[in-house]
Amino acid sequence: MQPKVSIVGAGPAGFALAADLESRGTSALVYSHPTHFRHANYVVDKGCLTASGAMESSTNPCVTFDMSEVVAFSKTIILTVPSTGHGTILQELKRFNLRQHTIIAVPGNLFSLVTGAEIECRMYEGELAVLGKKRLVFIAALQQDELSVELRKEIRSIFPVELKWCSNVMEVCLSNINGVFHPLMMIMNAGRIESTAGDFLLYRHGLTRSVAKAMLAVDRVRVAIGAAFGFRLRSVTEVSNECYGQHFADLVDLAQNSEPHNKLKAPSDIDNRNISEDVPDLLVCWHGLAEKLGIDAAPIKAVIVLVEMATGVDYMKSGRNLAKLHLEDISRSELIERFSVPHS
């Protein structure tokens, strides 16, 4: 029988995954929320999905606007919506018995704590432009001991990249270097973004030496948080090199010469998921963890405060703070015990 996968999220990531799965013999059903149907309508109207760039294919994935069809289609459900949309999707999924289902969130950003193959791409008018594919994706389950060998193999068959199984979901969250890259590139280039409507290359022109220095300050806090849990996190440059199979010396070298990055245009304004997702769902989380662990979180707080001043949004309150992650009332030692690397 042909394997099946349900994909929740009819944006660039969801359709990129669907195109890849279909090309490898797996049937995919893509769910589009009724209020976010732009890309889905283009695909439905054209009768096909065309991918170009790092992925060349033409396929006709099934599209649905009915969550019950998603649940019935496959026991494997992959969420490709931004983490800011997790709450909406969870409300819809609560209607169903999902005890026999496996749910994979890409990105996760501690999705499993909130609830108790990532591909770089863009989509234009129903056509998919794939700028680059990661060679490695970090992954973990909330209950690692309940993850059977068979289930790992099943998940591995879905993604066309190496899966790096982490100690737990906290290590995956801290390995998501979007929180290092995106917010600072956006806020330190805010004037240029707004005055040119994003008419420049975000990495190639926007990740300069000064921006890189600020990123490294945030990255040192990320790595320090990981060290408190016993994780041996690599630097932001090393993680990017590992994910894309590259060998850049530093962030500026990467910004100038990495093909998946140096052709990426800036967004037209700062109301973009580089801010609205990565600040509340990564930086706010990291800030709370650092403070709980007694680590100087000043670099991360500085970014959050500056973004809040520029946008008028209270991300400290609305983001994935420790209260929302159900970690606010536990002690430092309890936090470390819960997420530290198991002793062999």
Side-chain angles (χ1 to χ4, degrees):
M1 186 194 314
Q2 186 179 27
K4 298 179 178 180
V5 171
S6 292
I7 300 170
V8 175
F15 277 119
L17 179 58
D20 181 82
L21 288 170
E22 295 274 354
S23 71
R24 294 185 290 115
T26 295
S27 181
L29 175 67
V30 180
Y31 169 81
S32 176
H33 193 274
T35 62
H36 295 81
F37 50 77
R38 179 167 62 95
H39 293 313
N41 278 352
Y42 284 129
V43 173
V44 172
D45 291 345
K46 289 186 64 175
C48 70
L49 173 67
T50 302
S52 61
M55 181 191 302
E56 300 283 347
S57 70
S58 180
T59 186
N60 184 21
C62 295
V63 177
T64 183
F65 300 89
D66 186 345
M67 188 63 81
S68 64
E69 293 185 3
V70 169
V71 175
F73 184 77
S74 174
K75 298 296 184 185
T76 301
I77 300 175
I78 301 179
L79 310 184
T80 62
V81 297
S83 55
T84 49
H86 286 165
T88 300
I89 298 303
L90 283 172
Q91 288 301 315
E92 295 199 37
L93 289 174
K94 282 181 179 179
R95 299 185 286 125
F96 306 98
N97 183 348
L98 300 174
R99 292 184 181 275
Q100 301 302 314
H101 287 70
T102 299
I103 299 178
I104 304 171
V106 185
N109 294 346
L110 296 180
F111 164 79
S112 54
L113 296 189
V114 175
T115 64
E118 191 169 337
I119 300 174
E120 291 288 339
C121 53
R122 292 294 182 272
M123 193 166 184
Y124 304 99
E125 304 297 308
E127 294 188 2
L128 199 63
V130 182
L131 305 181
K133 294 174 66 176
K134 288 185 177 179
R135 298 186 180 185
L136 179 144
V137 172
F138 298 95
I139 187 170
L142 184 60
Q143 287 88 25
Q144 293 278 77
D145 54 345
E146 297 180 10
L147 197 64
S148 66
V149 174
E150 292 74 18
L151 184 54
R152 285 194 183 217
K153 288 182 178 178
E154 181 181 336
I155 295 172
R156 173 66 188 88
S157 69
I158 296 172
F159 295 96
V161 297
E162 178 186 349
L163 297 181
K164 183 172 183 178
W165 289 93
C166 296
S167 301
N168 51 52
V169 294
M170 187 64 73
E171 185 177 4
V172 175
C173 172
L174 291 167
S175 298
N176 186 348
I177 55 175
N178 285 348
V180 177
F181 273 114
H182 296 161
L184 274 165
M185 262 197 310
M186 292 291 292
I187 203 65
M188 294 184 75
N189 285 281
R192 189 173 188 181
I193 289 172
E194 293 178 334
S195 63
T196 68
D199 189 21
F200 67 98
L201 300 177
L202 185 59
Y203 283 80
R204 189 176 183 87
H205 301 145
L207 205 173
T208 60
R209 188 65 60 187
S210 297
V211 176
K213 287 179 180 178
M215 288 180 177
L216 292 177
V218 169
D219 197 50
R220 284 190 287 271
V221 181
R222 178 188 68 88
V223 172
I225 297 169
F229 292 115
F231 307 144
R232 296 180 179 178
L233 300 182
R234 306 180 76 179
S235 73
V236 59
T237 306
E238 290 170 330
V239 173
S240 184
N241 280 340
E242 183 180 21
C243 287
Y244 288 100
Q246 300 168 328
H247 304 281
F248 297 114
D250 56 33
L251 293 175
V252 176
D253 185 19
L254 179 151
Q256 295 298 308
N257 300 302
S258 170
E259 290 191 5
H261 299 94
N262 65 8
K263 297 175 184 177
L264 184 64
K265 284 196 66 176
S268 59
D269 57 53
I270 64 170
D271 183 16
N272 178 273
R273 64 183 294 180
N274 288 342
I275 292 286
S276 63
E277 180 177 22
D278 294 333
V279 173
D281 295 346
L282 285 173
L283 292 190
V284 168
C285 165
W286 295 353
H287 175 266
L289 291 170
E291 287 207 324
K292 176 79 75 171
L293 294 167
I295 295 168
D296 182 8
I300 292 179
K301 185 174 183 179
V303 180
I304 297 171
V305 170
L306 190 56
V307 168
E308 289 181 335
M309 292 168 60
T311 63
V313 179
D314 187 350
Y315 284 120
M316 284 289 201
K317 181 178 179 180
S318 64
R320 292 192 175 175
N321 51 50
L322 295 192
K324 287 193 172 71
L325 297 174
H326 308 288
L327 300 175
E328 184 179 40
D329 296 326
I330 67 175
S331 66
R332 178 183 184 276
S333 59
E334 289 171 330
L335 179 66
I336 292 174
E337 181 179 3
R338 180 172 176 182
F339 294 107
S340 62
V341 177
H343 297 292
S344 56

Coordinates of all heavy atoms in Angstrom, one line a residue, residues 132-162:
G132 N 16.9 26.1 -1.2 CA 17.9 25.2 -0.7 C 17.3 24.2 0.3 O 16.2 24.5 0.8
K133 N 17.9 23.1 0.4 CA 17.4 22.0 1.3 C 18.4 21.7 2.4 O 19.6 21.5 2.1 CB 17.1 20.8 0.5 CG 15.9 20.9 -0.5 CD 15.7 19.7 -1.4 CE 15.3 18.5 -0.6 NZ 15.0 17.3 -1.4
K134 N 17.9 21.6 3.6 CA 18.8 21.3 4.7 C 19.2 19.8 4.5 O 18.4 19.0 4.1 CB 18.2 21.5 6.0 CG 18.1 23.0 6.4 CD 17.5 23.2 7.8 CE 17.5 24.7 8.1 NZ 17.0 24.9 9.5
R135 N 20.4 19.5 4.9 CA 20.8 18.1 4.9 C 20.6 17.4 6.3 O 20.6 16.2 6.4 CB 22.3 18.0 4.6 CG 22.7 18.5 3.2 CD 24.2 18.3 2.9 NE 24.5 18.8 1.6 CZ 25.7 18.6 1.1 NH1 26.7 17.9 1.7 NH2 26.0 19.1 -0.1
L136 N 20.3 18.2 7.3 CA 20.1 17.6 8.6 C 19.0 18.4 9.3 O 18.9 19.6 9.2 CB 21.4 17.7 9.4 CG 21.5 17.2 10.8 CD1 22.8 16.5 11.1 CD2 21.3 18.4 11.8
V137 N 18.2 17.7 10.1 CA 17.1 18.3 10.9 C 17.2 17.7 12.3 O 17.4 16.5 12.5 CB 15.7 18.0 10.3 CG1 14.6 18.5 11.2 CG2 15.6 18.7 8.9
F138 N 17.1 18.6 13.3 CA 17.1 18.2 14.7 C 15.7 17.8 15.1 O 14.7 18.4 14.8 CB 17.5 19.3 15.6 CG 18.9 19.8 15.3 CD1 19.2 20.9 14.5 CD2 20.0 19.1 15.9 CE1 20.5 21.3 14.2 CE2 21.3 19.5 15.6 CZ 21.5 20.6 14.8
I139 N 15.5 16.7 15.8 CA 14.2 16.1 16.2 C 14.3 15.4 17.5 O 15.3 14.9 17.9 CB 13.7 15.2 15.1 CG1 12.3 14.7 15.3 CG2 14.6 14.0 14.9 CD1 11.7 14.0 14.1
A140 N 13.1 15.4 18.2 CA 13.0 14.7 19.5 C 11.5 14.5 19.8 O 10.7 15.2 19.2 CB 13.7 15.5 20.6
A141 N 11.2 13.6 20.7 CA 9.9 13.4 21.2 C 9.8 13.8 22.6 O 10.8 13.8 23.4 CB 9.5 11.9 21.0
L142 N 8.6 14.2 23.0 CA 8.4 14.6 24.4 C 8.7 13.4 25.4 O 9.4 13.6 26.4 CB 7.0 15.1 24.7 CG 6.7 15.7 26.1 CD1 7.6 16.8 26.4 CD2 5.2 16.1 26.2
Q143 N 8.2 12.2 25.0 CA 8.5 11.0 25.8 C 9.4 10.2 25.0 O 8.9 9.3 24.2 CB 7.2 10.2 26.2 CG 6.3 10.9 27.2 CD 5.3 11.9 26.7 OE1 4.9 11.8 25.6 NE2 4.9 12.8 27.5
Q144 N 10.7 10.4 25.1 CA 11.6 9.7 24.2 C 11.6 8.2 24.4 O 11.8 7.4 23.5 CB 13.1 10.2 24.5 CG 13.3 11.6 24.2 CD 13.6 11.8 22.7 OE1 12.7 11.8 21.8 NE2 14.9 12.0 22.4
D145 N 11.3 7.7 25.7 CA 11.4 6.3 26.0 C 10.2 5.6 25.3 O 10.2 4.3 25.2 CB 11.4 6.1 27.5 CG 10.2 6.8 28.2 OD1 9.6 7.7 27.6 OD2 9.9 6.4 29.4
E146 N 9.2 6.3 24.9 CA 8.0 5.7 24.2 C 8.2 5.6 22.7 O 7.3 5.1 22.0 CB 6.8 6.4 24.6 CG 6.4 6.4 26.1 CD 5.1 7.1 26.4 OE1 4.4 7.5 25.5 OE2 4.9 7.3 27.6
L147 N 9.3 6.1 22.2 CA 9.5 6.1 20.8 C 10.2 4.8 20.3 O 11.4 4.6 20.5 CB 10.5 7.3 20.4 CG 10.5 7.8 19.0 CD1 9.1 8.3 18.6 CD2 11.5 8.9 18.8
S148 N 9.4 4.0 19.7 CA 9.9 2.7 19.3 C 10.8 2.8 18.1 O 10.8 3.8 17.3 CB 8.7 1.8 18.9 OG 8.0 2.2 17.7
V149 N 11.6 1.7 17.8 CA 12.5 1.7 16.7 C 11.7 1.7 15.4 O 12.0 2.4 14.4 CB 13.3 0.4 16.7 CG1 14.1 0.2 15.4 CG2 14.2 0.3 17.9
E150 N 10.5 1.0 15.4 CA 9.6 1.0 14.2 C 9.1 2.4 13.9 O 9.1 2.8 12.7 CB 8.5 0.1 14.4 CG 8.8 -1.4 14.5 CD 9.5 -1.8 15.8 OE1 9.3 -1.0 16.8 OE2 10.1 -2.8 15.9
L151 N 8.8 3.2 14.9 CA 8.3 4.5 14.7 C 9.4 5.5 14.2 O 9.1 6.3 13.3 CB 7.6 5.1 16.0 CG 7.0 6.5 15.8 CD1 5.9 6.5 14.7 CD2 6.4 6.9 17.2
R152 N 10.6 5.3 14.7 CA 11.7 6.1 14.2 C 11.9 5.8 12.8 O 12.2 6.7 12.0 CB 13.0 5.8 15.0 CG 13.0 6.4 16.4 CD 14.4 6.3 17.0 NE 14.4 6.8 18.4 CZ 15.4 7.5 18.9 NH1 16.4 7.8 18.2 NH2 15.4 7.9 20.2
K153 N 11.9 4.6 12.4 CA 12.1 4.2 11.0 C 11.0 4.8 10.1 O 11.2 5.3 9.0 CB 12.1 2.7 10.8 CG 13.3 2.0 11.3 CD 13.3 0.5 11.1 CE 14.5 -0.2 11.6 NZ 14.5 -1.7 11.4
E154 N 9.7 4.8 10.6 CA 8.6 5.4 9.8 C 8.8 6.9 9.6 O 8.6 7.4 8.5 CB 7.3 5.1 10.6 CG 6.1 5.7 9.9 CD 4.8 5.4 10.6 OE1 4.8 4.4 11.5 OE2 3.8 6.1 10.4
I155 N 9.2 7.6 10.7 CA 9.5 9.0 10.6 C 10.7 9.3 9.7 O 10.6 10.2 8.8 CB 9.8 9.6 12.0 CG1 8.5 9.5 12.9 CG2 10.2 11.0 11.9 CD1 8.7 9.9 14.3
R156 N 11.7 8.4 9.8 CA 12.9 8.6 8.9 C 12.5 8.5 7.4 O 13.0 9.2 6.6 CB 13.9 7.6 9.3 CG 15.1 7.5 8.3 CD 15.9 8.8 8.4 NE 17.0 8.9 7.4 CZ 16.8 9.4 6.2 NH1 15.7 9.8 5.8 NH2 17.8 9.4 5.4
S157 N 11.5 7.6 7.1 CA 11.2 7.4 5.7 C 10.4 8.7 5.1 O 10.4 8.8 3.9 CB 10.2 6.2 5.6 OG 9.0 6.4 6.2
I158 N 9.9 9.5 6.0 CA 9.1 10.7 5.5 C 10.1 11.8 5.1 O 9.9 12.4 4.0 CB 8.2 11.2 6.7 CG1 7.2 10.2 7.0 CG2 7.6 12.5 6.3 CD1 6.4 10.5 8.2
F159 N 11.2 12.0 5.8 CA 12.1 13.1 5.5 C 13.3 12.7 4.7 O 13.9 11.7 5.1 CB 12.5 13.7 6.8 CG 11.4 14.3 7.6 CD1 10.8 13.6 8.7 CD2 11.0 15.6 7.4 CE1 9.7 14.2 9.4 CE2 9.9 16.2 8.1 CZ 9.3 15.5 9.1
P160 N 13.6 13.4 3.7 CA 14.7 13.0 2.8 C 16.1 13.5 3.2 O 17.0 13.7 2.5 CB 14.3 13.7 1.5 CG 13.7 15.0 1.9 CD 12.9 14.6 3.2
V161 N 16.2 13.8 4.5 CA 17.4 14.3 5.1 C 17.8 13.5 6.3 O 17.0 12.7 6.8 CB 17.2 15.8 5.5 CG1 16.9 16.7 4.3 CG2 16.1 15.9 6.6
E162 N 19.0 13.7 6.8 CA 19.4 13.1 8.0 C 18.7 13.7 9.2 O 18.5 14.9 9.3 CB 20.9 13.2 8.2 CG 21.4 12.6 9.5 CD 22.9 13.0 9.8 OE1 23.6 13.5 8.9 OE2 23.4 12.7 10.9

